[in-house]
Amino acid sequence: MQIEILSNANSVIQQDNYLLIQTAEAEARVWVYSPTIIRVCISKTFAQSDESFAVIEKPLDNFTWQHLADIVEVTTSAVKLVINLKPLRFEFFTADGQPLSGDDTRFGTNWQAERVMNYRKLYPDEKFIGLGEKAGDLNRRGQNYVNWNTDAALHTITTDPLYKTFPFYIGLHSGLTYAVFFDNTHKSYFDFGATTDEQMMWFGADGGDMDYYFFGAQGIRNILEDYTWLTGRMEMPPLWSLGYQQCRWSYMSANEVLDVARKFREKQIPADVMYCDIDYMDGYKIFTWNKETFPDPKGMVDELKSMGFQLVTIVDPGIKIDENYPEYKEGVEKGYFATYPNGELFTGSVWPGRCHFPDFLNAEVREWWGVSFKALADPGVEGFWNDMNEPAAWGQNMPWMVKFGDKFMPEIRNVYGMQMSRATYNGTKRILNGKRPFILTRAAYAGTQRYSAVWTGDNAASDEHLLFGQRLVNSLGLVGMSMIGVDIGGFMGNPTAELMVRWNSLGPYTPMFRNHAALGMTMREPWQWGDDYEQIIKKDIEQRYKLLPYIYSGFYQSTKTGLPLSRTLAIDYTQDENIYDTKYQNQFLFGDALLVAPVISTVDHVDVYLPAGDWYRLNTDERFTGNQMVNVSCPLTDLPVFIKAGGIIPMQNIIQSTNEQGDGVLQIHIWNGDDTNTFVYYEDDGATYSYQSGSYHKRTITFDPQKREIVFNPVEGEYQSKYHKLELVGHGLDGVQLNRQIDNTNEVFAISY
Ligand code: MIG
């Protein structure tokens, strides 16, 4: 095999809205998408259509560039791209000339046959974060990774690859930030200085183009806003999906599902969601129900709904080969399944036995798949869980000759799951007639936030997985995802009661709060752990329900800015070295005001790092000074959770499900601080898309501790808040009494204390 290194440019012209640069072996194109986003695509072919599964925005119509001897400069108000023509290399600077990131001048972009790579300069102090669901530390410096969506059953905390592909990383050096999104669906590789003698970092893929977007915004919040502008943001999730979710593989019958749901109500433990894993189906045939064990799906869902529960059902991609199965027959007739190159249908074995696999890359197939959900939606299901979509089959691998339209497996594997969730989302959105479906997927590619929530797959019931899971959630938050869950309790293995309790205490601060367990594992419901522990878990779940107004507002922020709900401290404390310390790297902000330190189940004291500012312990209101490590107690009843001084948190009374009206009082908790702080409160009907046409209730709350004043700014939107009273609750006000109730009117008003 030979190596070809991108050589001298022999022509540079502007064509339409891009710069076209030719070398002997390839062609480079440069587009400007915004002042902070520049795309470079280096290709040998440019034959294929310029389609992306991730990107939803278009480049600008024009941009500024100049040709100076052996250099071309593309400049925006924020970024300068210097293109060296001999040989062709790209380097990005801030507008005032500070180097951000560039090609290694010797090797730049190069090829080994179809494999394409980009070698880049590595700065001595450079750190890397991102890539989403990846093992290893928050700072990925010195690590290398592969993207190849895999059913990573039995994975450990070092397994790579896992289920998802997000080829997006953020680089940090010299007090600057930048990011790169490598939009390539082939098997891809990222080496953050693992093996290059501290000289280079590199990324590449087995095929396709060197097609990347460079982000030059300063500050990680701005980078996330740009990245999610380019690849899209989530829509508001149905409110019920933010309640407590109870899953297991499997509740084996309608009676069992109903019994568990009833028990939550009897015990007054709040919950919103029950799940049906694969055993609800007839012989694992997708879009069917087992007639013996689930004889009356509508009756079951009706009864669940009457108790304030929603049901989520699982679907896998594999369609069973069975002449009496309409989905099979129709799929074959219409040519909807993946084939071998000779046109024969590809067959793989999964739960149903021998199966064919829908070609979700085909719009007509997505349409067909979407409509099929009537079998689940008609009886009332509104949540759809997409599993095994790496895609998985027994033996894990699928022949690389398997074809999806005109593309082969190696090129589409990393987007298959995303396209399945796209089909599921668009289809069920239509069927539900204006109600928000809830979609959950295991496999994903950049942009999946537009369609679906994700969970981190088959973790294990251990303390190290508890911490690892949090790291995955935090890292997924750096790639556009916000609605993220881990199997609380651990999927494989049986947790100790203490681990179960501890993990549930992290649940309120996990974007998606779902308990799940594998087949054959001990039962995991909150009442399986003895009375005392049941009471602790109950309190944790209640905490989730109290926080829902805050959490819902946090998701609103995700829909507008791409900022995730669970935020690694790297987002706001980027330059603080301590937060990358492996001891503190799992800590995160949950929304604007809360700092959470995940803790294993076997300790009752833990070191927590509090970054700059003052902090209050949630359960005691004890005030701490930041910028230091503190050793705090952490009994199973009290996970270390802190509130940023000046923090504003809207809460509500404890309800048993999001269906319940509650007492109509929105509590506004504030914690004393030094600086003025604001919180954007957001509410809508929690169920439909009418918020997109003005039916929402949004207001900025400003807390000025110096003036001792809280201002409720005018309400925007036409939705009438379900809270008719506001109750102000002060913390850390040195004995000053703030607590009072007032009417929740839509006009501006101020409360002084
Ligand atoms: O081969 O549907 O990750 O959550 O319970 C295992 C059964 C298939 C894997 C999922 C897991 C689910 C299980 N599934």
Side-chain angles (χ1 to χ4, degrees), residues 249 277-278 314 351 385 387-388 394 442 455 458 491 516:
W249 174 18
D277 203 330
I278 47 177
I314 197 169
W351 291 109
W385 174 19
D387 190 21
M388 305 293 271
W394 304 150
R442 196 170 68 176
W455 94 105
D458 298 346
F491 180 75
H516 186 39

Side-chain angles (χ1 to χ4, degrees), residues 303-336:
E303 196 169 337
L304 282 173
K305 287 192 173 174
S306 75
M307 290 188 275
F309 276 92
Q310 289 278 352
L311 183 67
V312 176
T313 51
I314 197 169
V315 295
D316 292 351
I319 296 288
K320 186 183 176 68
I321 299 177
D322 177 343
E323 287 301 333
N324 301 316
Y325 177 26
E327 271 71 18
Y328 163 76
K329 286 187 63 183
E330 205 185 334
V332 170
E333 270 162 36
K334 302 209 163 134
Y336 286 166

Side-chain angles (χ1 to χ4, degrees), residues 11-262:
S11 77
V12 184
I13 54 162
Q14 182 176 348
Q15 205 167 75
D16 304 324
N17 59 351
Y18 59 91
L19 210 58
L20 176 64
I21 309 172
Q22 258 146 350
T23 69
E25 58 289 308
E27 206 173 271
R29 298 185 187 185
V30 177
W31 293 262
V32 174
Y33 275 67
S34 82
T36 44
I37 308 174
I38 296 180
R39 175 183 177 199
V40 175
C41 183
I42 304 165
S43 174
K44 291 185 162 223
T45 59
F46 270 111
Q48 302 96 336
S49 69
D50 185 26
E51 63 166 16
S52 167
F53 294 100
V55 171
I56 57 167
E57 289 292 340
K58 295 266 171 295
L60 299 176
D61 290 336
N62 218 332
F63 59 96
T64 308
W65 66 287
Q66 55 174 339
H67 196 153
L68 314 151
D70 287 343
I71 280 180
V72 165
E73 283 186 3
V74 177
T75 45
T76 71
S77 55
V79 176
K80 183 166 73 178
L81 164 59
V82 175
I83 306 171
N84 280 292
L85 299 175
K86 293 185 177 160
L88 184 57
R89 300 284 180 268
F90 299 81
E91 183 160 17
F92 296 87
F93 298 82
T94 60
D96 60 0
Q98 303 180 71
L100 286 170
S101 171
D103 286 338
D104 178 279
T105 47
R106 299 159 299 173
F107 308 125
T109 290
N110 55 73
W111 293 265
Q112 289 171 324
E114 291 293 304
R115 198 173 286 150
V116 61
M117 282 133 317
N118 181 232
Y119 285 76
R120 305 181 72 78
K121 287 179 184 160
L122 181 65
Y123 289 84
D125 69 330
E126 195 160 17
K127 294 186 181 71
F128 299 93
I129 58 174
L131 288 197
E133 186 189 76
K134 287 292 177 193
D137 294 324
L138 167 62
N139 178 7
R140 305 208 177 281
R141 175 77 179 250
Q143 302 294 307
N144 68 99
Y145 296 97
V146 175
N147 289 313
W148 184 246
N149 290 1
T150 299
D151 174 6
L154 303 177
H155 67 259
T156 72
I157 68 164
T158 57
T159 302
D160 183 69
L162 295 170
Y163 306 87
K164 304 174 182 68
T165 294
F166 292 97
F168 176 70
Y169 69 86
I170 300 172
L172 313 165
H173 70 83
S174 322
L176 301 168
T177 59
Y178 73 88
V180 172
F181 170 45
F182 178 38
D183 193 8
N184 184 313
T185 63
H186 291 258
K187 190 176 201 171
S188 58
Y189 308 86
F190 285 79
D191 180 323
F192 297 106
T195 51
T196 56
D197 200 16
E198 300 295 311
Q199 291 184 57
M200 297 178 285
M201 66 83 61
W202 64 272
F203 59 85
D206 277 353
D209 298 331
M210 181 42 63
D211 186 0
Y212 66 86
Y213 295 77
F214 181 87
F215 298 80
Q218 290 311 300
I220 295 179
R221 283 177 177 241
N222 293 327
I223 285 180
L224 294 182
E225 189 158 355
D226 277 356
Y227 174 72
T228 55
W229 171 80
L230 189 73
T231 61
R233 301 187 179 119
M234 69 180 293
E235 292 185 321
M236 284 306 295
L239 181 59
W240 58 262
S241 68
L242 306 183
Y244 174 84
Q245 309 190 356
Q246 185 65 52
C247 190
R248 104 167 259 112
W249 174 18
S250 301
Y251 293 119
M252 295 303 287
S253 66
N255 287 336
E256 194 181 1
V257 172
L258 288 166
D259 281 346
V260 172
R262 281 184 205 115

Side-chain angles (χ1 to χ4, degrees), residues 622-633:
E622 186 189 349
R623 189 164 172 157
F624 294 84
T625 309
N627 247 326
Q628 63 164 336
M629 186 275 281
V630 291
N631 186 271
V632 297
S633 74

